[in-house]
Amino acid sequence: MAPFQQRSPRCPSHRTSGVTPWPQRARRASVALLTLVSSVALSACSGDGGFSAAEPARGPGQFVGRTAPLNDTFGGGAGGDNTPRALGVGELADWRSCGAACQAHCASQTFANPLDEAMCPHLWGAGLDTRPINETEACRRMYVDLAGYFPTLFEIERSCLGRPADEVALRLISSDEFVRVNQLHWSDQLRYDNISVNFERIFDADELVGKTYRGLVRYDEFLEVMSAHPVLTRRFDNPGDRVEALFTLFLGRPPFDNERADMAKLYTLWNNHYVDHPQLGMRLPDAFIQHACVDERGNIDPNTQGQCTSLLWGYNQVILEPDFRANEGRTWSENLTEEEWRILQTPGRILSVRSEAWEHAVSDVLEQYLGYNLAFYAPSVLQPLVEYLFAHGGDIRSIHYVVATSQLYRQTTTCPDDVCGDDLNPPEWTFGPLKQVDSQVWLDTLERFGSTDIGNCDRRLPNTRDLAQAGVYGVDVLVSSEWTLNDEGRVDERYRDVARTLGGCPDNQVTTRFQAISILNTATQESFVAEMCNPGGSSENPVDAARILPESVAANRALDDTVAEEVVEYQVRTYFGRAATTDEREMARVGGAACVPQPCDAETFARVICYALLSSGEMLFY
Amino acid sequence: MTRRKPTSSKSTATEKAPFALSRRGFLKVGAAGLAASSVPSLFIPNRAIAQTGGRGTIKHLLYVRLSGGFRFPTAFNADVSGAYNPFGSASGVPSGVDWGVSNLLMRAGFLDANRTAAGMQPVHQLADRITVMPTVDHEPLAGYADGNHTTGLERYYTGYVNGSAGFFTRINLGLADRYATALSEGRVLLPPFVMGGAAMARGLGAFAPYRPPVLSGGSFDRFAASAAGAIPDWGRPMVTATDARMRDRQHLRQRDRVDAYVQSRAATEAYAQIFADPLLATDRASDTLVDGISNTELSMLFGTSSSARDIRLALRLFHFGCPAVYLDQGGYDYHSGEQDRLPGSMEALNQLTSALINVLPRMSHPDGGTYWDHTLVVYGSEFSRTARGDRFNSARGSDHNGDNSTRWMSMPFFGGPVPGGRMVGATTARDDLRAEGTVYSYRSVLNTLMDGLGCDPEVAFPADPVVPDLFG
């Protein structure tokens, strides 16, 4: 196991122990002096690099992380195709109970992938089978789920075809795109909102997620830090609500009343207010510790310490004794030491040793990839996956690897009616998962295909107005973020505007990311594609012909069957990441013949094909 | 069980067809509309119904959120001590105005020669057109205010914390019968539009099919632009065939979600003609007079800020039968710098208010009269603000917590359905903001607005009475 990468807080780090009493006499004698010193220290700190617009992350995430990943590779992976048990005459497949014949069948199979093995009693052992997938479809799906965009056939050929699925999955999981996909996932889970939470803490949380998905932080460490991270505590007003958020986030259920009441005592110290930021000249929301359960001298008060003590999961106490950093009994979160953070993270340590937390982590990954809650139907799959996760040192990436290489995930979504049409209610794991693509994945992909640039949005700073008005440091923060500024120096909101209509770039104040199919969404998607492809040939919106035509076809070339097929083949390969089907070639010929004004040229036809393909369901579902 | 019919058919009976539907479009949309209108639900007698006397008088609602928590006494409840309104009161207010008009409403730097010539005035001179409820409260029975951004906004959008339906979803469901009637007559009416936080369009459970469209930060210019390069007729079969092939390939169990998209594309065609109407491309200069005013003049009067763009678009959506538009305006979460920055922000709001009061009476409504006669504009926020007994906090701003100063949302209303110059509900004591009179809940306000719109009473919040004298 690699050691922690120890990092000191940028400002100030005075103590290493939260409950170790500050020497009383020294403190009493030095209060006035220390107050003066601390004021000087804090002001000096704030002016000499305590804040960096380019790297604004400040918070407890800075104290965790390794220099090398927990794992360079993972065990198991994709195995061979398993065979279903032959059912007796009149016997129906029963995936709910696995009898002797089922168990014997599963025992006779060879499994490389622990998810496949765990699913055998509900699948092959029950007499059911999976739907085999071709490499192209599998690769396209993996790119969307693991890298966050649709690949072209060229990319698929270069990176997937002829390569083992294990290798492809491992390479994608090791990529920056994978980290970003999961940073986006957690920004939704934690609902980053810089109106309610100091953006420096949000950046810190985002970096922590990044370290977790680079394999530098164990999942339990991640849970512990998040349990007392201001991105969680600052969003809620009272201890009970914080407990509820913690349970919902990491156990997948709200706490029972006794759990809520008891663990709330470990959140007694947390409070919310606003703090003046010296460089930005802004008043930012932030969390602070109100030193409760201590007497007027700052020592643990035996009469009130019960208000900060939990007994339901053993004896756990969260009390921090104030020192010179405390003003009016408050210590702001950015001034807490590593040891104090460790004490505050007690709720996370309580949860991280519960099997529920690990099972929920696994379940969450399964749902990310399969689009449904597999554990609801087959809860027995969770335990072996949790063991697999433990075997990989708590590296959550291992579960992503195992699911992405499983036969369960690597199934085709297609099936002819004469093969699948008779079974009206097959289990969802007997065919591939068809999911609606996230609006930002859709937008990013179309931007790649069209080579257009309409900016971006930054998950860590959903609200830009205050920073834009805060002066040079605020603008510096925006410039260093994923937002882009236009020629007038204002935030380019074009991408955000389209994405928010479609359900992306959420502000996270009250609304979160959503997926919908509605008249407005559909009209927006169609119009966005129409702008890219210009199917009607408007002179106001010319399209770069090189983007929609194969190299060998000139824009003004007369359209015939061969050219029409070439255009369709080229665009299907680029947009859908596969070769054109016979039906699509037929469509090319028929559509080409109908093209007007005659004689039609290649570009006129290509613009319409571009619209037909990019606005189709194949770009919306994968 | 069937949904209860509206108690009044006055508004639907008098509506003219703002947009006629082609036979093909009617058949497509009609099927979806009838399916939606046949969603069964249980009728429960609701004591919050039709008690205002103003039922059905609002044809269009412009519902504006002053974002971030607005310090209401600095604008609409100014006759209080400096701890609540450090900016003072206005002079030169028309006689007979009961509510406290703030000095900040006098700011009118936007009144250049063109706007003055068009008749725009400083807002304080228009105070007799505006009525204020000084003490709207989230929960009148609660011991303290909800000054939390997240939960305060939840209440603002849905009436409750974690409410199952946004206010606009309730409106959409409440007017579903009106849409069905219009469809049966071959007309398409635009639904309510949400141009701000999407939670206003939240819909869980029975509300889910009635979520209104969200156009956050966008515009219809995109539709007008793309319509110019729309798919030619010879290409349409390829579009349809591409979707059909994709759907038909899928496993039978997967096909429904692709089908939903295919059906949505068909339904979109029916609305496409409206969406692509140049009238909705409000960012493009056009001197064509519609309802008596051009997009160019609207742009001159309102300006080009994002809120101004939203309001200009809202006025044009109203032309196509849209009953309500929600939008966010400004950013008033001034924990710091309020003393210096709020006056400028108020000037931007003043311009919008002044322009609305100027143009609505000049715009002729398709049903007769003017838009002023049929439109109500309402400003609200998630909560008010406090400086804890001082004029400002240490950063020359204000915060929000559980006190009266945070609690009372002094909401202004203006438009023909609500006679102006009045105060409705409880007033506040000058020195401590103690309420004197009946405090109405925020949900009561929403119930009153839904009643004014003629919504099916079934969608009202059941425990909150309407505000009986808001409509005069």
Side-chain angles (χ1 to χ4, degrees), chain B residues 391-463:
Chain B
R391 291 162 61 84
F392 297 102
N393 66 21
S394 60
R396 314 311 295 163
S398 62
D399 304 312
H400 33 92
N401 59 21
D403 63 7
N404 278 349
S405 186
T406 301
R407 185 167 200 159
W408 308 136
M409 296 173 281
S410 307
M411 295 174 65
F413 303 77
F414 57 95
V418 172
R422 300 173 302 137
M423 272 203 288
V424 174
T427 56
T428 53
R430 179 177 175 80
D431 293 329
D432 61 2
L433 282 197
R434 182 170 30 84
E436 296 168 348
T438 305
V439 171
Y440 288 100
S441 74
Y442 174 68
R443 289 187 296 270
S444 283
V445 173
L446 300 187
N447 277 347
T448 309
L449 296 177
M450 287 190 283
D451 193 52
L453 281 163
C455 290
D456 188 331
E458 194 179 319
V459 300
F461 299 97

Side-chain angles (χ1 to χ4, degrees), chain B residues 18 40 54 60 62 127 166 171 201 285 385 388-389 441:
Chain B
H60 311 290
L62 184 60
I171 293 175
R385 310 185 69 82
R388 294 180 168 79
S441 74

Side-chain angles (χ1 to χ4, degrees), chain A residues 283 417 432 434 511 522 615, chain B residues 199 253-255 257 261 264 335:
Chain A
R283 200 161 161 88
D417 283 358
L434 185 71
T511 59
T522 302
S615 68
Chain B
R253 278 283 302 270
Q254 311 265 36
R255 225 167 275 173
R257 61 190 71 185
Y261 178 61
S264 175
H335 290 279

Side-chain angles (χ1 to χ4, degrees), chain A residues 92-96 119 122-123 126-131 372 374 377 408 411-417 419-433, chain B residues 250-257:
Chain A
L92 294 175
D94 178 9
W95 57 267
R96 292 175 179 82
M119 276 303 290
H122 309 282
L123 191 52
L128 299 168
D129 201 1
T130 51
R131 299 271 313 142
Y372 56 90
L374 180 66
Y377 303 100
L408 215 59
Q411 296 187 70
T412 182
T413 64
T414 65
C415 190
D417 283 358
V419 176
C420 300
D422 290 342
D423 190 350
L424 294 178
N425 195 26
E428 287 190 82
W429 50 91
T430 55
F431 47 88
Chain B
Q250 301 306 312
H251 190 291
L252 204 57
R253 278 283 302 270
Q254 311 265 36
R255 225 167 275 173
D256 56 346
R257 61 190 71 185

